[in-house]
Every structure is written in C-alpha cells, then in structure tokens.
Amino acid sequence: MSDKFEAKFSDFLNSDACDTAEDALFSLLRTAFSAGWQAAGGQIETEDDKAPAEDL
C-alpha cells in the first residue's frame, strides 16, 4: 500500500468515527453470539449479559 493510504488509514484508526464503528461492530458480534448461544441451549443470566467480553 502507498504511504498516503497508510497515513490516512492510521488517521481513521485514531478517529472518533473508528471508535463508533468499533462499538457498533462489537455490539453486533455480541448480539449474534448471544443469539447463537441461546439457540444452542445456553442460558444467559442477568449478570452474565452485562459482564465484560473477556469474562465470558
């Protein structure tokens, strides 16, 4: 990739827009995982649903 591309991509990664996109993607993935978990017979306790992802 060109230096210009890398610089612009780096700028994007450090932007509020990227943070917003990351939050949306995380929420989407967590919702999809939760749906699959429940479809496979898993139970989600109230406190589990609010636990940080690294604790799951």
Side-chain angles (χ1 to χ4, degrees), residues 5-50:
F5 173 86
E6 293 298 334
K8 292 296 183 181
F9 185 57
S10 181
D11 290 345
F12 171 71
L13 290 176
N14 293 315
S15 71
D16 289 339
C18 186
D19 289 341
T20 300
E22 283 180 331
D23 290 345
L25 287 170
F26 178 82
S27 179
L28 175 81
L29 289 171
R30 186 171 175 86
T31 300
F33 183 86
S34 175
W37 180 270
Q38 292 176 67
Q43 299 275 330
I44 296 180
E45 302 296 325
T46 303
E47 62 188 50
D48 288 343
D49 193 39
K50 301 204 183 329

